[in-house]
Amino acid sequence: VGGAAADHGEQSYRGLGRLTDRVALITGGDSGIGRAVAIAYAREGADLLISYLPEEESDAEESVRWVRDAGRKAIKLPGDIQDERHCVAMIDRAFDEFGRLDILINNAAYQMTHERVEDFPTDEFDRTFRTNVYAMFWLCRAAVPRMKPGGCIINTASRQAYDPSPQ
């Protein structure tokens, strides 16, 4: 389908140090909005943990390169957030590596469209909820008791939630 490459702020975003020495974990940080956030946060002074599916390794490497080019640390967290143990392990890793987690960004998501509701297989329905709802809960539940006052959690939603495509 072609088109222009996504603008993640690689050439345009200039940080102002607003997140100096903060630590953020971004799910889906390998591409799209997740990569744009990773670049912006790194340029604002944050160290990052970037969660992504293992099959997206090359995209994750690109995000990490931009973070490191900004002079910040980046830790890759390949795995599937449909797995509760992986979600908890990511939070543990933040505290093991940095001793803190200041910002949790639940950005990763899964969606699929079909013409008719009866065309949705149960495994796809399960994947959608495990990725978009369960993972957000598991990550928040693991992070909240350990985050210090002033920390924040950012949960994103697809545009499809409020301006859905016809199908």
Side-chain angles (χ1 to χ4, degrees), residues 9-10 18 23 27 29 36 43 50-51 58 61 69 76 83 86 93 96 100 107 112 117 124 129 141 159 164:
E10 295 95 335
R18 291 176 225 167
V23 175
T27 66
R43 291 180 182 173
I50 296 175
S51 160
S58 63
E61 282 291 338
D69 284 353
K76 295 186 304 177
D83 178 358
H86 177 64
R93 184 83 185 270
D96 291 347
R100 64 191 294 165
N107 168 68
M112 193 60 60
V117 69
E124 194 174 276
F129 272 80
R141 183 176 65 186
R159 173 183 182 164

Side-chain angles (χ1 to χ4, degrees), residues 76-97:
K76 295 186 304 177
L77 300 172
D80 194 335
I81 63 173
Q82 291 183 79
D83 178 358
E84 180 179 2
R85 289 171 303 197
H86 177 64
C87 291
V88 172
M90 290 193 305
I91 300 301
D92 289 343
R93 184 83 185 270
F95 284 90
D96 291 347
E97 294 283 340

